[in-house]
Amino acid sequence: MRICFVCTGNICRSPMAEQVMRERLAEAGLEDLVAVDSAGTGSWHAGDPADARAVRVLRDAGYGSEHVARQFRPDWFRSLDLVIALDQGHERALRRLARTPEEADKIRLLRSFDSDARRDDLDVPDPYYGDESGFEEVLRLCEAGCDGLLAEVRSRVG
């Protein structure tokens, strides 16, 4: 199984979700069955490392933080099982890139996997223009979403 998390520039939210999901999969013993990566809807930060604030928050919480940003490519849909958008803007951008209904069916919002999330508030907010507390909130939301996503993964891989 292959999962790709997608945000705008691939330096904040999606790499944080990627690292959280990697850890959840390792804890569940599923890391050999599920590949996880991330990308951005745009190319602004392609080749850059993750935002230093994201790296600090991830490391402080015990997660890995190695990352190089890249842009999502439509041909990746073929090899992915799930494409996880971090907010509704990313979801709309991905749906525009999807070439078939089957590709569009792979797109989900991360917080849609969080049973405690309000259905009218499924965006993970962009922390880029704020301080480190915004990154801490993103981590909390990614953890809650990835917990639910792990249940979905388990149901798919047995």
Side-chain angles (χ1 to χ4, degrees):
M1 179 174 198
R2 291 199 60 217
I3 300 169
C4 184
F5 292 95
V6 180
C7 70
T8 305
N10 192 218
I11 60 167
C12 297
R13 292 173 281 181
S14 58
M16 291 179 79
E18 174 187 352
Q19 294 301 327
V20 170
M21 193 63 195
R22 285 181 190 277
E23 183 66 24
R24 295 298 187 269
L25 291 166
E27 290 167 355
L30 299 173
E31 69 273 21
D32 292 336
L33 299 174
V34 184
V36 180
D37 57 23
S38 63
T41 59
S43 63
W44 310 279
H45 295 288
D48 293 345
D51 185 286
R53 296 165 294 178
V55 170
R56 270 194 304 279
V57 167
L58 284 167
R59 285 189 183 154
D60 288 351
Y63 294 100
S65 60
E66 287 195 25
H67 177 75
V68 176
R70 62 195 186 137
Q71 183 177 7
F72 187 87
R73 293 180 28 195
D75 61 318
W76 293 355
F77 276 114
R78 283 191 305 265
S79 64
L80 294 168
D81 297 288
L82 287 169
V83 180
I84 308 296
L86 276 288
D87 73 26
Q88 292 174 57
H90 308 133
E91 180 186 34
R92 285 188 298 274
L94 288 164
R95 290 194 184 286
R96 285 191 299 271
L97 293 175
R99 297 162 298 192
T100 67
E102 292 78 23
E103 289 180 351
D105 286 344
K106 296 177 181 186
I107 303 166
R108 300 275 302 273
L109 283 164
L110 175 60
R111 294 199 64 217
S112 70
F113 294 98
D114 179 355
S115 61
D116 293 330
R118 289 188 354 243
R119 298 299 111 184
D120 64 342
D121 183 24
L122 295 179
D123 287 353
V124 174
D126 187 353
Y128 187 76
Y129 294 103
D131 61 21
E132 204 157 294
S133 66
F135 287 82
E136 292 166 353
E137 174 68 2
V138 166
L139 179 59
R140 186 187 70 74
L141 296 172
C142 287
E143 288 175 330
C146 285
D147 287 344
L149 177 55
L150 180 60
E152 172 75 15
V153 167
R154 279 187 170 135
S155 74
R156 290 184 183 213
V157 299

